């Protein structure tokens, strides 16, 4: 197939349009992620950037499915995806940042027969984990 000047120009315009569209979509996704993280920080008082290491250290991903965490595909506990939109934490407490943090620190205070262990995580660390979960 032989390309004329007009075909090359059309191809260049189409390629440029695709690159612009990809940049807009990428920027929108980044902007949405940053907005979600800012909301989660304000809600929980934690830093979602510190959470992945904490989630691995305390073994959360061994029991729960957690987006963005390598190996976060546990099936013992419920998936933690979309937690910010839920009404309850673990089906036993209203989904508020303070309840989520306290649940992470000491789940038996809410549900004495819970299979979720008290891991020894501190309240400050739990706030970081809560911020991560609310940002997803």
């Amino acid at each position: 197939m032989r390309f004329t000047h007009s075909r090359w120009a059309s191809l260049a315009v189409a390629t440029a349009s695709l690159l612009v569209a990809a940049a807009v979509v990428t920027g929108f996704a980044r902007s949405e992620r940053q907005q979600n993280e800012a909301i989660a920080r304000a809600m929980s008082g934690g830093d979602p950037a510190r959470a992945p290491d904490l989630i691995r250290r305390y073994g959360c991903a061994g029991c729960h499915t957690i987006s963005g965490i390598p190996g976060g595909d546990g099936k013992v506990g419920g998936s933690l995806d979309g937690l910010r939109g839920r009404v309850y934490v673990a089906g036993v407490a209203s989904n508020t940042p303070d309840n989520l943090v306290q649940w992470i620190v000491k789940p038996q205070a809410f549900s004495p027969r819970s299979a979720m262990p008290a891991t020894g995580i501190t309240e400050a660390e739990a706030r970081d984990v809560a911020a991560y979960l609310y940002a997803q």
Side-chain angles (χ1 to χ4, degrees), residues 30-52:
R30 184 176 308 125
S31 160
E32 184 178 12
R33 183 177 63 245
Q34 289 170 339
Q35 184 178 14
N36 286 342
E37 288 179 1
I39 291 168
R41 277 188 185 91
M43 289 174 68
S44 66
D47 182 354
R50 291 192 292 247

Side-chain angles (χ1 to χ4, degrees), residues 18-90:
L18 285 173
L19 291 173
V20 168
V24 168
V25 168
T26 300
F28 177 75
R30 184 176 308 125
S31 160
E32 184 178 12
R33 183 177 63 245
Q34 289 170 339
Q35 184 178 14
N36 286 342
E37 288 179 1
I39 291 168
R41 277 188 185 91
M43 289 174 68
S44 66
D47 182 354
R50 291 192 292 247
D53 288 337
L54 297 168
I55 288 168
R56 284 189 291 277
R57 182 184 323 152
Y58 289 104
C60 309
C63 292
H64 297 281
T65 299
I66 308 170
S67 292
I69 303 296
D73 57 359
K75 304 293 184 217
V76 175
S79 170
L80 299 179
D81 293 342
L83 187 68
R84 188 170 84 192
R86 297 184 193 175
V87 176
Y88 294 104
V89 172

Side-chain angles (χ1 to χ4, degrees), residues 95-116:
N95 187 1
T96 67
D98 287 338
N99 281 347
L100 177 58
V101 168
Q102 291 309 308
W103 170 262
I104 293 168
V105 172
K106 195 172 182 182
Q108 283 72 26
F110 290 92
S111 181
R113 296 179 62 193
S114 174
M116 181 154 156

